[in-house]
Amino acid sequence: MYKAKYIEKKMTGKISSELIPSLLSLFKDKSDASVKAPIVLAILLGDDEELQSKVALETDALKLLADILDNPGELYPEQRKEGALSCIAAIGSVREECRKAIIESKSIVSHMVNSMKNGRNETKLIACQCARVLSRSVKALRTILIDSGIAAPLLELFTSGNVELQTSSCAVLCNLVLEFSPMRKMIIENNVLSILSRMIASSDHSLKINALWTLKNLSYQSDSQTKQEILKNFDYKSIIRFES
């Protein structure tokens, strides 16, 4: 057991001191290595809180990733943006201080929101993944996410008719409709409840689960008007059947 922990710690040290700097140097490379390097780093980070913090707080990774989003270049620009957003999502996936570092780079949030509006569906899906990570931050929900105008493109994806995009955008909405979110009221006013009722009746399991989570968060500590709107769009039978 102690030997395994020693090996794990040693490997983490080697990744931090040798592999991560090498990957970061490839971010600026002119070859297709610059496309793959952020994705490799994202995989390496996984759920490793220590590595995520080191990359976010002790390297220039976020600046380099912001540079990629600012100027994706002519070589695979869409793929480079997707790789950068995936890496950003990995960096901020666990710790609040990492999300804070991402949020403080305002250009990253701006590019994330723009990627929800433009580009291919894969880019939009990854942008939603990144938004879901940042929306775990209460500070981000109350400040930069609302200021960036995330609600409009997110609702557009939510109503797109594309199941993948709807599922991913619904996963972000789960956090945006929490009781302390300033976006809650505006989202309710955009016909979200009637769309959720259709999603809950969907045959797609992931879409159904995300819709149920969104409804749960929306119902929690809601005012009487919201409760009345919920009852207009949902009957008890449609929700109770999921208890089993």
Side-chain angles (χ1 to χ4, degrees):
M1 178 177 164
Y2 292 112
K3 187 176 180 181
K5 285 186 177 179
Y6 171 76
I7 293 171
E8 183 181 349
K9 188 174 181 180
K10 192 172 181 180
M11 286 300 295
T12 300
K14 275 198 166 293
I15 290 171
S16 299
S17 63
E18 297 177 21
L19 187 52
I20 287 176
S22 298
L23 286 170
L24 293 180
S25 70
L26 290 174
F27 282 17
K28 297 176 280 188
D29 198 272
K30 300 298 182 184
S31 70
D32 61 354
S34 64
V35 177
K36 298 172 183 175
I39 298 170
V40 173
L41 180 56
I43 294 168
L44 270 177
L45 294 177
D47 294 321
D48 191 321
E49 296 183 39
E50 185 181 343
L51 276 182
Q52 289 168 10
S53 290
K54 281 183 179 295
V55 169
L57 308 175
E58 299 177 20
T59 74
D60 59 351
L62 289 174
K63 180 185 180 303
L64 293 171
L65 290 166
D67 289 344
I68 291 173
L69 294 172
D70 288 337
N71 182 22
E74 298 179 2
L75 180 69
Y76 311 121
E78 205 71 15
Q79 289 91 332
R80 291 191 84 215
K81 286 192 288 185
E82 290 166 6
L85 288 169
S86 294
C87 193
I88 290 163
I91 290 170
S93 63
V94 181
R95 289 191 173 177
E96 180 64 19
E97 64 262 32
C98 297
R99 290 191 280 271
K100 182 175 181 289
I102 294 168
I103 291 161
E104 286 174 352
S105 175
K106 294 182 181 178
S107 68
I108 287 179
V109 177
S110 175
H111 284 298
M112 178 192 74
V113 173
N114 286 334
S115 293
M116 289 182 180
K117 303 176 190 175
N118 307 304
R120 58 185 191 171
N121 284 352
E122 185 65 25
T123 307
K124 293 174 181 177
L125 289 169
I126 296 171
C128 283
Q129 178 188 359
C130 194
R132 186 183 185 186
V133 165
L134 294 185
S135 67
R136 293 172 187 158
S137 167
V138 175
K139 182 180 178 181
L141 276 177
R142 288 176 168 166
T143 55
I144 194 165
L145 286 182
I146 191 168
D147 293 341
S148 68
I150 191 175
L154 193 63
L155 287 168
E156 188 173 337
L157 298 179
F158 185 69
T159 58
S160 66
N162 180 297
V163 174
E164 278 191 299
L165 292 175
Q166 286 182 308
T167 302
S168 292
S169 58
C170 193
V172 184
L173 278 176
C174 282
N175 294 332
L176 299 190
V177 297
L178 289 165
E179 74 275 12
F180 52 77
S181 170
M183 287 178 268
R184 188 184 210 187
K185 185 180 178 190
M186 184 270 287
I187 289 169
I188 294 171
E189 290 171 350
N190 275 270
N191 202 33
V192 162
L193 286 168
S194 65
I195 299 168
L196 282 175
S197 67
R198 294 196 295 273
M199 288 179 172
I200 287 173
S202 169
S203 59
D204 187 278
H205 180 71
S206 296
L207 180 60
K208 186 179 297 189
I209 292 297
N210 284 354
L212 281 166
W213 271 107
T214 303
L215 180 62
K216 173 183 175 292
N217 289 349
L218 196 56
S219 305
Y220 182 68
Q221 293 191 353
S222 58
D223 56 29
S224 58
Q225 184 179 352
T226 301
K227 288 173 182 173
Q228 288 173 7
E229 288 298 317
I230 290 171
L231 290 173
K232 282 181 189 176
N233 288 278
F234 298 89
D235 57 53
Y236 288 117
K237 289 180 182 178
S238 69
I239 298 172
I240 289 171
R241 72 172 183 266
F242 294 106
E243 288 186 344
S244 58

